[in-house]
Amino acid sequence: GVATSLRNNTLGTLFKEMYFSHDPISTIPGAQWDRPYIQQLIKSDFENISLILEPPEGQDLGVWKYEHLRQFCLQLNDLAVILQVDCFPDVCTQMTATEQWIFLCAAHKTPKECPALDYTRHTLDGAASLLNSNKYFPSRIICNLTANLNRYSTWSRNFYRLHYMHTYHFHKSICNPLVKYQFDHENIRCFKFSFTCRHELYAKYDHQSLD
Amino acid sequence: IRGIPKLRELLKRQKGEADNALDGVPDVEFTYADAQSIQDEMAELYSYTEEEEFVRSKEAYSREFPFITSWQGLSENEKKACLNQLINKIDSIEDAVRIPAIHALLYLAQGAFEAGMSEDKLLKQSRENVFLMYSCGGLHLIIQLLNLESENPNSAIIIMQKPSISIVDSDVLRAYLNILYIMVETMRYDDPTDSEFMMEQREAFIFELSQPVYDECLHIILFEMVVKFCAGNCPYFPIKKILLLLWKTVLVTLGGTKEIDKVKRQARLDAGLPEAFDERVPDENGRAMTSNGASSNNQDDGTDDIDDSEFKAATRKPRPRPKVRQKDIDLFLDATRSKFVGFQISGDDSTLAGLPHPIHEGLHVMKKHIYTSLGEYQLNAEEEALERPFTAMKFQSKNEVCESLYKSLLPNIPQYMISLLKILLASSPTAKAKTDSINVLVDVLPEEMPTTVLDSMRLGIDVNRHKEIIVKAISGLILLLLKHFKNNHIYQFEFISQNLVCGNCIPLILKFLNQNISSYISTKNFIPQLDFPACVLNKKSEVTAETLENNGSEICCWRNMFSCINLLRILQKLTKWKHSRTMMLIVFKSAPILKRSLKVKHEMMELYVLKLLKAQTKYLGRNWRKSNMKTMSAVYQKVRHRLNDDWAFGNDMDARPWDLQAEEGSLKTCIDRFNNIHYGSGNTGEEIMNEYDEYDVNIHSVLDSSVELSEDFKNAYEKWLEREVFSAPIEWEQLCSCSFKR
Ligand SMILES: [Zn+2]
Ligand SMILES: [Zn+2]
């Protein structure tokens, strides 16, 4: 009927109307309702981060984090594309997060000193292959919470570095126009989300020392 | 009067005999297990030379977190935050950031010791921290860094230019290995107080440990390190820690004795065999066995009455129920058929035509005791698969971890085994300190050699202890691998054993055993006050010459007893049912060596020695048996009987010629075939299959293949077009008929 057709973007749907719906969770069809649900929350109010992050009642926390990480990755790819305009391998020769620390790219058999842009790409690729790995995530519905929570933290640390730290510290120029003009406001959410995730996963000591 | 001294002498003799009788109560207090308690295993990780480093890592921690007064006082979230901060720094490229963070992390893994803390509390704190570290993603990261550090060509070059290499050269590597070892060792056991979450974490840890980090799993990284060390490329590698970690990694991921037994039972059930050999003796059989046994005993010696009376007195423990192999039944039938019927029927053990009734009865008893081992079953299945490549069941392992380990080991098994044996040789107590052989002592030698007598004594003890631990780790590792692969597939086991045999493992073990075993198992190479955690928790007590000399009473040294039993078991596994390898035991004169090690009074050790002796008594000749009746009766009493076995009276001295090369060669052919079929690429197995390949009917293949058009066709192609294309009606609209429904 009409209610479900809103989720399908038929030919000719305008960008601003895409994926636009306010369905309650119960009406989202299929077992994998988390993802459309999260996207719906973002669409309706991307600034309401606490609402977006709030797991629905009875939701498995592992699955919830997994879906959020996937969504986060997805949006981070947009940033990587924009970063290419400003972050050149010969300028940002290393992954620097703050002035003092340089990081090793962990996406290789033996960690390498990849330039910041490569680091970004490798980390995103690595995350994509991890999140789609059959071995670790055989099902999107049931996640082995414990087995993979440990991996979440590794990747979110890397994301945080490249996304929040590197962009924020070294590409302020791109960061601001990006938020204001070039890209739609959703990316603010990205920053905020990254920040919040970080905050949730790692408590305050960490932050004070890093910021 | 004259009779009394004679009687006394007899009594004395009898008493003396009884005292060191082979079946006497075991004197050695030792319980065989997969490993010692976690405390002892942790203590063995560190050499005494590393003593000062505990303090250093504590200082590193204090510098990282100057405001934290007490680690124990922090909340879980605060602890996690600290660990995350350290882990974050470990990702850094700069040594100045990374290395102090690693040391601080090591301090936390060790349990954040403070003076006056109790050992139990330290252990608990260490366990808690390990779980936290794991949940912060520490495992993966440190394995990766270990790999990075071990492949770092710069440090190798710098170190190789130094005049002498010592413990300081492996500083960072040791820190990584220590942390990983503490993690693995902590996760190895489950604590009754663990929460459900922790149990899940443990399972996840063990799973993750068996998975590759990028393309190699930790086992392979460590094996490669062992090989590099042996090749002399990286003499600064802390080999003891590498081996300990390797052994424990295999133990944790594949499982110990309990799991091996479980897997074996399951594998037997899957193969359609009875779960285990039924050890219970049926009543009527039991009686038959005892009378039978006594009579054969009489027939054997008949010279010494004392032997006999002793035997009767010592009916404490029931012997294991006898077994018989199908092969032995076949041999028996062949012999009787040729005797009574005059011709043979191969592969038939049910036709009894022409055989007298007593033979029927004998066969009936044998069939009651038949035991088909998993290995025999697998060999047959493999043969069958060769004969019927299409319909026979292909070998499919159910033990994924074991199977994937074999796959990843396979390309380099020879190097791995040779390297292990080389290190074992270099760590044997009897090994001469040759200058050209590998130096296993690098991770115990301090930068500056001791100057005082006391310090040299201390170092001496440390060095011996170090070697003993290496032997323990290697023997434990090899035995584990052999047992697991034997359950998984017999040819995997055979491949490993053949490489061990080719690496001269048999003489090596015999050489190892050719020392005063009694003194080896009671060495006192330890200084309790220097063991971790005593050395950091207690007030420093001076190590004096006296404390070095008087530590412990006449207790058995667990690790050495463990190593000896393991080596005997390895030797037994290598030679069992292998004629030419058993002959090697004879050639290397193993009997006196083995017999001497019977002095150690421990049931398990005794059993394996006796098993090894039993296998060769046939070839040792009548005279040897005559003069070693005591050993013979011990074998009779302790080792399982095989029906129709002639170990006690066979005189096979020259009857069976043996050709080591040929036997090993044909075994190798079988192993190679197995490896090729199951793990090879472009292998022989596929060649056979190619002939029967299905026809390729995929439309893509048609579009893909290039077609040579003949000249005739090219000349007349317009006509062909006219006839075949233009005049044939084609309804193109049908292609578009799958309409899009709105
Ligand atoms: Zn940049
Ligand atoms: Zn990279």
Side-chain angles (χ1 to χ4, degrees):
Chain A
V2 186
T4 50
S5 71
L6 275 173
R7 312 221 131 256
N8 297 326
N9 302 307
T10 49
L11 284 179
T13 309
L14 294 174
F15 177 72
K16 58 180 181 184
E17 286 165 4
M18 271 188 185
Y19 300 106
F20 203 75
S21 65
H22 291 283
D23 301 340
I25 303 173
S26 57
T27 63
I28 301 177
Q32 298 174 22
W33 51 268
D34 327 61
R35 199 156 163 226
Y37 177 65
I38 292 171
Q39 287 173 341
Q40 173 183 315
L41 289 175
I42 295 169
K43 271 275 174 190
S44 47
D45 185 4
F46 58 81
E47 291 201 81
N48 194 348
I49 287 165
S50 54
L51 181 70
I52 298 170
L53 289 179
E54 181 68 27
E57 211 166 299
Q59 170 65 317
D60 183 280
L61 207 64
V63 179
W64 187 247
K65 286 194 180 177
Y66 172 72
E67 283 302 338
H68 259 295
L69 210 60
R70 262 157 57 91
Q71 180 64 23
F72 185 45
C73 253
L74 217 65
Q75 289 184 292
L76 222 50
N77 274 300
D78 295 339
L79 178 87
V81 173
I82 291 164
L83 259 183
Q84 287 188 83
V85 181
D86 203 59
C87 182
F88 298 107
D90 49 348
V91 183
C92 300
T93 53
Q94 285 165 319
M95 185 63 199
T96 38
T98 59
E99 300 289 351
Q100 50 183 138
W101 289 359
I102 306 160
F103 291 103
L104 287 170
C105 179
H108 312 270
K109 193 180 139 207
T110 54
K112 273 190 186 169
E113 296 178 40
C114 287
L117 189 63
D118 289 347
Y119 185 106
T120 307
R121 285 197 293 241
H122 296 163
T123 310
L124 281 171
D125 285 351
S129 63
L130 173 73
L131 291 172
N132 291 307
S133 125
N134 260 336
K135 203 183 273 166
Y136 292 105
F137 301 100
S139 151
R140 297 232 158 97
I141 306 160
I142 314 145
C143 278
N144 185 349
L145 175 79
T146 26
N148 302 301
L149 266 181
N150 312 319
R151 284 171 176 258
Y152 290 145
S153 65
T154 310
W155 286 108
S156 73
R157 188 165 49 236
N158 288 341
F159 287 154
Y160 181 73
R161 260 176 220 154
L162 75 96
H163 192 246
Y164 186 73
M165 307 276 273
H166 183 75
T167 316
Y168 186 79
H169 286 286
F170 295 93
H171 303 285
K172 280 205 172 95
S173 57
I174 203 173
C175 183
N176 295 331
L178 162 107
V179 174
K180 278 179 189 146
Y181 317 107
Q182 254 184 309
F183 212 58
D184 78 29
H185 286 261
E186 229 173 68
N187 251 33
I188 298 175
R189 183 201 152 258
C190 243
F191 276 97
K192 286 193 180 171
F193 177 62
S194 143
F195 189 78
T196 321
C197 272
R198 184 75 189 167
H199 222 73
E200 244 182 43
L201 285 164
Y202 315 104
K204 42 187 182 292
Y205 283 101
D206 197 3
H207 250 310
Q208 283 159 1
S209 69
L210 276 177
D211 283 344
Chain B
I1 292 170
R2 245 196 302 153
I4 292 173
K6 175 84 179 153
L7 199 65
R8 196 178 282 154
E9 194 197 292
L10 238 164
L11 273 172
K12 213 167 129 194
R13 193 168 138 214
Q14 217 163 346
K15 198 162 170 257
E17 301 269 50
D19 275 349
N20 57 52
L22 291 158
D23 51 315
V25 183
D27 288 341
V28 180
E29 289 259 342
F30 170 84
T31 319
Y32 187 86
D34 292 325
Q36 291 167 90
S37 72
I38 181 166
Q39 287 94 337
D40 293 336
E41 292 288 334
M42 289 288 191
E44 287 188 355
L45 174 63
Y46 310 102
S47 64
Y48 297 143
T49 322
E50 283 172 283
E51 200 191 359
E52 282 97 45
E53 295 182 10
F54 295 117
V55 185
R56 191 190 58 183
S57 40
K58 188 178 182 182
E59 283 165 3
Y61 157 82
S62 314
R63 267 196 301 277
E64 292 287 338
F65 307 105
F67 304 114
I68 296 175
T69 47
S70 154
W71 176 259
Q72 294 172 58
L74 297 182
S75 74
E76 186 177 313
N77 272 340
E78 286 167 326
K79 283 179 187 169
K80 240 182 166 166
C82 292
L83 285 173
N84 269 312
Q85 185 181 329
L86 289 179
I87 286 175
N88 207 2
K89 286 190 176 176
I90 285 175
D91 262 358
S92 169
I93 285 173
E94 284 155 85
D95 286 355
V97 178
R98 198 175 74 245
I99 293 172
I102 291 162
H103 288 307
L105 206 60
L106 175 60
Y107 168 76
L108 293 178
Q110 283 163 343
F113 53 81
E114 270 155 51
M117 212 171 166
S118 77
E119 281 196 26
D120 285 342
K121 198 159 189 191
L122 182 80
L123 197 64
K124 210 166 155 249
Q125 189 60 253
S126 161
R127 190 172 174 83
E128 192 189 316
N129 290 351
V130 163
F131 274 85
L132 284 177
M133 261 163 68
Y134 174 57
S135 72
C136 296
L139 175 70
H140 208 262
L141 189 66
I142 294 171
I143 292 178
Q144 211 179 2
L145 287 169
L146 174 73
N147 200 13
L148 176 75
E149 187 65 34
S150 70
E151 291 190 350
N152 189 346
N154 292 339
S155 52
I157 291 168
I158 294 168
I159 293 165
M160 294 296 272
Q161 282 168 346
K162 288 170 75 171
S164 71
I165 308 166
S166 71
I167 191 163
V168 289
D169 296 309
S170 55
D171 190 35
V172 185
L173 266 179
R174 274 186 297 120
Y176 292 138
L177 288 165
N178 284 343
I179 297 175
L180 284 174
Y181 186 82
I182 294 173
M183 290 183 92
V184 171
E185 185 60 22
T186 302
M187 295 289 189
R188 188 168 65 85
Y189 75 105
D190 53 344
D191 196 290
T193 61
D194 280 357
S195 63
E196 202 167 300
F197 178 70
M198 282 166 97
M199 279 165 7
E200 272 177 38
Q201 287 275 67
R202 251 192 88 216
E203 249 171 60
F205 179 91
I206 293 169
F207 171 75
E208 203 173 320
L209 199 63
S210 66
Q211 296 301 314
V213 178
Y214 298 94
D215 26 275
E216 277 170 1
C217 48
L218 182 60
H219 311 81
I220 302 298
I221 294 174
L222 294 170
F223 262 122
E224 288 297 329
M225 286 176 83
V226 171
V227 170
K228 266 193 219 161
F229 174 81
C230 273
N233 301 334
C234 303
Y236 60 96
F237 277 4
I239 194 67
K240 181 186 89 180
K241 288 176 202 272
I242 295 172
L243 288 167
L244 277 175
L245 181 60
L246 182 54
W247 168 43
K248 287 297 165 58
T249 311
V250 173
L251 184 60
V252 168
T253 51
L254 294 186
T257 318
K258 237 184 29 249
E259 282 80 8
I260 291 172
D261 189 53
K262 217 173 88 192
V263 169
K264 184 178 175 184
R265 281 167 182 273
Q266 191 54 48
R268 287 185 60 88
L269 284 180
D270 292 341
L273 299 168
E275 190 181 5
F277 185 69
D278 190 8
E279 296 286 353
R280 280 171 305 162
V281 188
D283 254 359
E284 95 254 10
N285 250 15
R287 233 174 293 129
M289 283 314 301
T290 2
S291 63
N292 187 14
S295 67
S296 77
N297 197 47
N298 277 338
Q299 168 213 321
D300 271 352
D301 48 26
T303 48
D304 209 317
D305 288 350
I306 296 167
D307 237 329
D308 212 342
S309 65
E310 248 176 47
F311 170 73
K312 271 178 195 142
T315 41
R316 296 161 290 118
K317 226 183 138 197
R319 281 198 308 262
R321 191 173 155 233
K323 281 179 180 174
V324 66
R325 291 183 302 169
Q326 181 65 44
K327 207 177 155 190
D328 298 322
I329 295 187
D330 293 345
L331 281 174
F332 167 73
L333 271 176
D334 283 350
T336 47
R337 275 184 188 136
S338 64
K339 194 168 165 191
F340 290 101
V341 194
F343 66 92
Q344 295 178 6
I345 320 164
S346 60
D348 183 352
D349 64 354
S350 53
T351 311
L352 298 172
L355 298 178
H357 184 70
I359 298 290
H360 293 209
E361 213 168 284
L363 197 64
H364 174 70
V365 171
M366 284 176 102
K367 280 191 172 172
K368 240 188 200 166
H369 291 87
I370 193 165
Y371 176 75
T372 311
S373 69
L374 197 58
E376 283 172 74
Y377 169 82
Q378 286 167 340
L379 285 183
N380 286 338
E382 212 47 43
E383 285 290 309
E384 223 167 283
L386 270 179
E387 278 166 25
R388 305 187 287 119
F390 298 104
T391 50
M393 281 267 284
K394 265 210 149 187
F395 159 62
Q396 196 102 53
S397 171
K398 285 213 169 153
N399 191 344
E400 238 177 83
V401 181
C402 197
E403 185 63 19
S404 72
L405 177 64
Y406 183 75
K407 258 184 230 163
S408 48
L409 286 177
L410 184 61
N412 295 315
I413 281 184
Q415 286 97 298
Y416 295 157
M417 292 305 134
I418 294 276
S419 308
L420 288 181
L421 292 178
K422 268 188 185 170
I423 299 171
L424 184 63
L425 180 67
S427 322
S428 295
T430 45
K432 303 272 181 307
K434 271 186 212 148
T435 41
D436 53 317
S437 69
I438 41 175
N439 183 2
V440 293
L441 300 178
V442 171
D443 52 327
V444 58
L445 294 181
E447 207 170 11
E448 276 164 37
M449 278 304 174
T451 45
T452 68
V453 180
L454 196 66
D455 283 348
S456 332
M457 267 173 79
R458 193 181 129 163
L459 184 62
I461 290 179
D462 206 4
V463 162
N464 288 336
R465 176 176 175 267
H466 181 84
K467 285 180 176 175
E468 288 172 6
I469 297 169
I470 292 182
V471 173
K472 167 186 160 184
I474 295 181
S475 65
L477 173 67
I478 294 180
L479 185 65
L480 259 186
L481 290 175
L482 287 176
K483 279 167 142 186
H484 273 288
F485 288 129
K486 196 169 186 185
N487 277 345
N488 200 35
H489 198 284
I490 185 77
Y491 277 131
Q492 297 181 346
F493 163 82
E494 294 291 2
F495 191 43
I496 299 223
S497 357
Q498 186 159 59
N499 276 301
L500 286 173
V501 171
C502 291
N504 276 334
C505 188
I506 294 175
L508 175 60
I509 293 181
L510 289 173
K511 199 180 161 197
F512 184 92
L513 296 172
N514 194 14
Q515 54 167 317
N516 188 344
I517 290 288
S518 305
S519 69
Y520 184 68
I521 64 151
S522 56
T523 58
K524 289 174 207 135
N525 289 319
F526 60 96
I527 309 169
Q529 61 264 56
L530 291 183
D531 272 336
F532 181 83
C535 61
V536 291
L537 296 182
N538 302 339
K539 225 182 200 169
K540 244 191 184 163
S541 58
E542 270 308 303
V543 175
T544 61
E546 259 165 29
T547 52
L548 290 187
E549 272 161 11
N550 309 326
N551 39 28
S553 51
E554 284 293 320
I555 46 161
C556 131
C557 172
W558 200 95
R559 59 172 168 261
N560 290 351
M561 192 68 193
F562 178 76
S563 312
C564 286
I565 290 185
N566 283 343
L567 289 173
L568 283 167
R569 293 178 76 176
I570 293 169
L571 194 59
Q572 203 248 340
K573 282 208 179 313
L574 293 182
T575 54
K576 193 178 179 185
W577 301 127
K578 297 268 187 310
H579 179 61
S580 57
R581 292 186 195 166
T582 309
M583 295 313 277
M584 268 173 96
L585 287 180
I586 306 259
V587 170
F588 291 115
K589 300 200 170 37
S590 64
I593 300 172
L594 291 169
K595 239 190 80 188
R596 229 178 306 131
S597 57
L598 280 176
K599 281 201 188 101
V600 178
K601 294 279 177 289
H602 185 267
E603 210 169 353
M604 191 169 183
M605 183 152 164
E606 199 180 18
L607 179 67
Y608 284 100
V609 172
L610 292 175
K611 279 185 177 188
L612 282 162
L613 280 170
K614 184 186 171 186
Q616 45 178 317
T617 46
K618 232 191 323 191
Y619 313 103
L620 287 168
R622 235 176 108 76
N623 284 337
W624 187 90
R625 292 199 296 259
K626 256 186 171 170
S627 45
N628 290 283
M629 271 337 284
K630 232 176 253 309
T631 316
M632 292 291 280
S633 46
V635 169
Y636 180 80
Q637 209 182 325
K638 304 267 165 74
V639 185
R640 185 195 297 280
H641 285 239
R642 295 274 168 178
L643 298 183
N644 261 28
D645 194 359
D646 59 348
W647 67 275
F649 48 86
N651 268 323
D652 254 6
M653 287 298 274
D654 315 294
R656 279 172 73 188
W658 59 288
D659 186 346
L660 183 71
Q661 298 296 330
E663 254 179 68
E664 295 293 330
S666 63
L667 179 62
K668 190 173 188 318
T669 318
C670 292
I671 297 170
D672 287 348
R673 200 175 54 200
F674 168 82
N675 282 336
N676 270 333
I677 288 176
H678 296 287
Y679 312 104
S681 55
N683 49 51
T684 48
E686 259 164 37
E687 262 165 43
I688 305 168
M689 301 301 280
N690 278 343
E691 278 178 46
Y692 308 102
D693 254 353
E694 281 177 50
Y695 276 109
D696 188 353
V697 290
N698 195 320
I699 191 154
H700 292 288
S701 318
V702 178
L703 293 174
D704 193 38
S705 57
S706 57
V707 180
E708 281 285 319
L709 298 172
S710 66
E711 278 308 304
D712 282 355
F713 181 83
K714 283 179 187 163
N715 293 335
Y717 94 102
E718 278 179 351
K719 266 187 206 155
W720 179 85
L721 265 180
E722 200 60 51
R723 201 178 62 214
E724 299 285 331
V725 183
F726 297 141
S727 61
I730 299 171
E731 294 167 42
W732 291 108
E733 319 82 68
Q734 281 198 349
L735 275 178
C736 315
S737 65
C738 26
S739 62
F740 182 74
K741 289 195 194 92
R742 279 208 139 225

